[in-house]
Amino acid sequence: MIIDCHGHYTTAPKQHEGWRAQQVAAFDGKSAVPPRPAISDDEIRDSIVGAQLKLQKERGTDVTIFSPRAAGMSHHLGDAKISEQWARACNDLIHRVCTLFPENFVGVCMLPQSPGVSPANCTAELERCVKELGFIGCNLNPDPSGGYWKDPPMTDRFWYPIYEKMVELDVPAMVHVSMSCNPNFHTTGGHYINGDTTAFMQFITAELFKDFPTLRFIIPHGGGAVPYHWGRYRGIAQDLKKPLLKDFLLKNVYFDTCVYHQPGINLLSQVIPTDNILFASEMVGAVRGVDPETGFNYDDTKRYIDKLAIPAADKQKIFEGNAHKVFPRLAKALKK
Amino acid sequence: MIIDCHGHYTTAPKQHEGWRAQQVAAFDGKSAVPPRPAISDDEIRDSIVGAQLKLQKERGTDVTIFSPRAAGMSHHLGDAKISEQWARACNDLIHRVCTLFPENFVGVCMLPQSPGVSPANCTAELERCVKELGFIGCNLNPDPSGGYWKDPPMTDRFWYPIYEKMVELDVPAMVHVSMSCNPNFHTTGGHYINGDTTAFMQFITAELFKDFPTLRFIIPHGGGAVPYHWGRYRGIAQDLKKPLLKDFLLKNVYFDTCVYHQPGINLLSQVIPTDNILFASEMVGAVRGVDPETGFNYDDTKRYIDKLAIPAADKQKIFEGNAHKVFPRLAKALKK
């Protein structure tokens, strides 16, 4: 079985984002937040069948660990209450997709984060999604301000309440920023990759996993710049008198394979232990075109893994085994 | 001849940074900025002979394109006047190093940037350094706020006055951030790499090189995350209806080789055209230890280039030829 650990619902019916616009507009207090829009099962089916489901079949993958559109989380808009309403709406929609296509999608939730607000505010929604909706993880935004990086680093005690809940529920988080509202950072080309790199470097400087030995993070987009600069990060850790990175962080930190060319995937596989790599495509997502150098979609990442010169057992770990290790609730979710 | 295009004066005599502390402290207006400290030629020699010069000899490199300590630029401190005093002091010291060791060092200046202040304010110091001190380029900080990214993107007209002066003088800039004062970003492991990635992505979204066809930038640290995600950047450019990156940006944008392990350098060489790669080590710099996997210093980057399976003529371009292309004033500076 081939499990894609990183897919977003980028194709949700239009009235969902339409309601979001109304909800945000109502934040000025001059209008009321309207009730959530009606979305029929057929509309949800239509939004999936010709997109994510079609691509799964074409590319030969089986299951997508599925979460709300990452840029759409936009935690910088409104306040904690606005984020809570929006997170519930998004997560409920993911739940409907997973219910309509139980063999193809398993849910991961977004959290109702808001700049400057304690992540303790997010534990109830995480618990609801895991216990009531059968979700198996969450996306955690290290920068709810959307490109201004105003909250403390992920190693700060500010974040501990959500980590405690993650540990209690035995679910991992993908470290995933949302839309950039800083004109310096292109969302998918700048902010996303910077967020990944930033989080990993934060983990190097602290002792977070002494406090939470079972806490698990996936760093998406192939770990940002980290594998390419693996020597730099090993060296900085060494200068800081930390243990070897493989002993210090790699029991808790994993990388996905959203790297859109063969040389990048080759490097990832060469420097990061196989046990720490999870297959992912981020489709339908950041890059939608066909690579003229290969004739295939940039984000058809299965092809790159297929071409790796590694044993079949290692590929099985990347495609399936590691996902079960990082998401212990996955097996049960798939049985349903 | 082997030319290292990225070295910083990280070993300057202590009174230089001591004066900086006094200068910044005086910004409150309660004390006066003292006169610059006396630094003897012998003190400068001592600071270089056992460090950069020793490493040049040990590693078999010949010339370093040398600039003030990057983290020390700290453009976020004080105001434009403070930055101007500090830039002059730092650049004058680089000039003394280059005068004492004319065969080993050629100068590149820092600029007196300050958050929110037009880079027009930097043209006089650039002109002084090039015309009076014989410098061949500058370091340009895309984020003078030190990790809060408050100024416009590098493609904005805000920056055009310094680009006009660079074009007039025919000197390139290395895009190099300085110290991070945002606790989210470790300076050399987070902010530096993010700055590189951010700048390249900014170039993709705009048409800067239509306005400045001869403007040249070096993106240090191997281009941040860019070569590792070359497929992503090619794909995003394609989605944005831009030309192929090699045609769109690579007449103006170059990458250095400050990537501290063999797999990273292999990837860089595989995906970025040889004509766009300049040898560099960033020594004495961000990573100072010996890699236990090789037994050699992480930043001894010449070893990685030596091991590349590419023709000798390509290595010559990386080690020397491309530097002359990007820094047209280099040959004349070396003749002196």
Side-chain angles (χ1 to χ4, degrees):
Chain A
M1 177 175 282
I2 294 182
I3 299 161
D4 183 339
C5 81
H6 184 183
H8 299 298
Y9 195 11
T10 47
T11 57
K14 279 182 184 167
Q15 60 268 46
H16 177 60
E17 296 281 349
W19 179 75
R20 170 63 161 171
Q22 293 174 305
Q23 185 222 18
V24 170
F27 182 61
D28 65 5
K30 290 177 189 159
S31 56
V33 177
R36 278 199 224 165
I39 300 176
S40 71
D41 284 355
D42 277 346
E43 283 177 300
I44 292 178
R45 278 192 202 95
D46 287 349
S47 75
I48 292 284
V49 167
Q52 287 85 356
L53 199 69
K54 176 168 165 276
L55 292 173
Q56 278 186 1
K57 286 179 182 169
E58 282 176 8
R59 299 179 183 184
T61 67
D62 300 295
V63 176
T64 301
I65 297 179
F66 205 51
S67 59
R69 191 169 69 92
M73 299 190 297
S74 295
H75 295 117
H76 62 281
L77 295 175
D79 59 10
K81 183 80 191 159
I82 291 281
S83 281
E84 190 189 322
Q85 292 169 347
W86 178 234
R88 286 184 73 99
C90 290
N91 293 331
D92 287 349
L93 209 54
I94 293 293
H95 179 56
R96 290 183 64 192
V97 172
C98 298
T99 305
L100 288 169
F101 301 95
E103 295 184 357
N104 301 97
F105 298 95
V106 176
V108 151
C109 64
M110 66 170 277
L111 297 171
Q113 297 177 247
S114 192
V117 177
S118 168
N121 197 52
C122 299
T123 57
E125 178 63 4
L126 177 60
E127 187 150 14
R128 180 183 83 92
C129 289
V130 172
K131 291 196 171 167
E132 296 176 25
L133 308 185
F135 285 21
I136 63 170
C138 60
N139 290 337
L140 186 61
N141 181 352
D143 172 30
S145 74
Y148 290 96
W149 293 91
K150 290 179 180 171
D151 279 326
M154 293 187 75
T155 48
D156 192 278
R157 287 184 171 272
F158 174 79
W159 298 90
Y160 276 26
I162 191 70
Y163 299 157
E164 286 160 6
K165 184 56 71 178
M166 285 167 59
V167 166
E168 178 196 320
L169 297 169
D170 204 13
V171 297
M174 180 171 279
V175 180
H176 206 310
V177 296
S178 184
M179 181 173 292
S180 163
C181 48
N182 185 328
N184 280 285
F185 303 129
H186 182 273
T187 294
T188 55
H191 192 42
Y192 279 20
I193 305 297
N194 290 349
D196 307 332
T197 308
T198 298
F200 190 82
M201 188 62 227
Q202 290 176 359
F203 297 148
I204 291 180
T205 56
E207 304 286 342
L208 178 60
F209 303 112
K210 269 195 183 163
D211 287 347
F212 297 100
T214 63
L215 188 65
R216 297 179 303 283
F217 293 109
I218 299 159
I219 307 207
H221 321 107
V226 171
Y228 176 50
H229 284 288
W230 195 238
R232 187 179 190 89
Y233 292 105
R234 288 193 292 109
I236 289 176
Q238 188 172 319
D239 285 352
L240 293 171
K241 316 290 181 204
K242 302 289 183 182
L244 292 177
L245 287 184
K246 70 182 174 63
D247 303 320
F248 183 47
L249 296 181
L250 295 191
K251 286 160 199 153
N252 305 88
V253 179
Y254 299 81
F255 300 90
D256 83 7
T257 66
C258 295
V259 179
Y260 293 159
H261 63 154
Q262 190 70 48
I265 292 286
N266 293 351
L267 174 95
L268 174 67
S269 168
Q270 190 182 353
V271 303
I272 303 298
T274 301
D275 287 340
N276 292 78
I277 301 173
L278 274 70
F279 173 68
S281 71
E282 199 187 356
M283 62 92 173
V284 182
V287 175
R288 305 197 174 202
V290 170
D291 185 346
E293 296 185 7
T294 65
F296 297 105
N297 282 81
Y298 289 99
D299 66 357
D300 186 356
T301 51
K302 178 171 171 293
R303 291 178 183 278
Y304 311 133
I305 314 294
D306 286 340
K307 284 196 178 166
L308 284 177
I310 58 173
D314 283 355
K315 289 186 188 175
Q316 197 278 338
K317 284 184 178 178
I318 293 172
F319 280 134
E320 181 178 6
N322 295 338
H324 282 289
K325 196 173 61 179
V326 175
F327 295 92
R329 290 174 177 267
L330 174 59
K332 199 175 159 195
L334 288 173
K335 266 185 205 156
K336 281 188 182 168
Chain B
M1 177 177 282
I2 295 182
I3 298 161
D4 182 340
C5 81
H6 185 182
H8 299 298
Y9 194 12
T10 47
T11 57
K14 278 182 184 168
Q15 60 267 45
H16 176 61
E17 296 280 349
W19 180 76
R20 170 63 161 170
Q22 293 174 306
Q23 185 223 18
V24 170
F27 182 60
D28 65 6
K30 290 179 189 157
S31 56
V33 177
R36 280 199 222 163
I39 300 176
S40 70
D41 284 354
D42 277 347
E43 285 177 298
I44 293 178
R45 280 194 201 95
D46 287 349
S47 74
I48 292 284
V49 167
Q52 287 85 355
L53 199 69
K54 176 167 165 278
L55 293 172
Q56 279 186 358
K57 286 180 182 168
E58 282 176 10
R59 298 177 183 184
T61 66
D62 299 296
V63 176
T64 301
I65 297 178
F66 204 52
S67 59
R69 191 168 72 89
M73 298 190 298
S74 294
H75 295 116
H76 61 283
L77 296 174
D79 59 10
K81 182 80 192 159
I82 291 281
S83 281
E84 190 188 322
Q85 292 168 348
W86 177 233
R88 286 185 72 100
C90 289
N91 293 332
D92 287 350
L93 209 55
I94 292 293
H95 179 56
R96 289 182 66 191
V97 171
C98 298
T99 305
L100 288 169
F101 301 96
E103 295 184 357
N104 301 96
F105 298 96
V106 176
V108 152
C109 65
M110 67 171 275
L111 297 171
Q113 296 177 249
S114 192
V117 177
S118 168
N121 196 52
C122 299
T123 57
E125 179 63 3
L126 177 60
E127 187 151 14
R128 181 183 82 92
C129 289
V130 173
K131 291 195 170 166
E132 296 176 26
L133 307 185
F135 285 21
I136 63 170
C138 60
N139 290 337
L140 185 62
N141 181 353
D143 172 30
S145 73
Y148 290 96
W149 293 90
K150 291 179 180 171
D151 279 326
M154 294 186 75
T155 49
D156 191 278
R157 288 184 171 272
F158 174 79
W159 297 91
Y160 276 27
I162 191 72
Y163 298 157
E164 286 161 5
K165 184 56 71 178
M166 285 166 58
V167 167
E168 177 196 321
L169 296 169
D170 203 14
V171 297
M174 179 170 280
V175 179
H176 205 309
V177 295
S178 185
M179 180 174 292
S180 164
C181 49
N182 184 327
N184 280 284
F185 303 129
H186 182 274
T187 294
T188 54
H191 192 41
Y192 278 21
I193 305 298
N194 291 349
D196 307 332
T197 308
T198 299
F200 190 81
M201 187 61 226
Q202 290 176 359
F203 297 149
I204 290 180
T205 56
E207 303 285 344
L208 179 60
F209 303 112
K210 269 194 184 162
D211 287 347
F212 296 100
T214 63
L215 188 65
R216 297 179 303 283
F217 293 109
I218 300 159
I219 307 206
H221 322 108
V226 171
Y228 176 51
H229 284 288
W230 195 236
R232 187 179 190 89
Y233 291 105
R234 288 193 293 109
I236 290 177
Q238 189 173 317
D239 284 352
L240 294 172
K241 315 290 180 204
K242 302 290 185 181
L244 293 178
L245 287 185
K246 70 181 175 63
D247 302 320
F248 182 48
L249 295 182
L250 294 191
K251 287 161 197 153
N252 304 89
V253 178
Y254 299 81
F255 300 89
D256 83 7
T257 67
C258 294
V259 179
Y260 294 159
H261 63 153
Q262 190 71 48
I265 291 286
N266 292 352
L267 174 95
L268 173 68
S269 168
Q270 191 182 353
V271 302
I272 303 298
T274 302
D275 287 341
N276 292 78
I277 302 173
L278 274 69
F279 173 69
S281 71
E282 199 188 355
M283 62 91 174
V284 182
V287 175
R288 305 197 175 202
V290 169
D291 185 347
E293 295 185 7
T294 65
F296 297 105
N297 283 80
Y298 290 98
D299 67 357
D300 186 356
T301 52
K302 178 171 172 291
R303 290 177 183 277
Y304 311 133
I305 314 293
D306 286 340
K307 283 195 179 168
L308 285 177
I310 58 173
D314 283 357
K315 289 186 188 175
Q316 196 277 339
K317 282 183 179 180
I318 293 172
F319 280 134
E320 180 177 7
N322 294 339
H324 282 289
K325 196 173 61 179
V326 176
F327 294 92
R329 290 174 177 268
L330 175 59
K332 199 174 158 195
L334 288 173
K335 266 185 205 156
K336 280 187 183 167

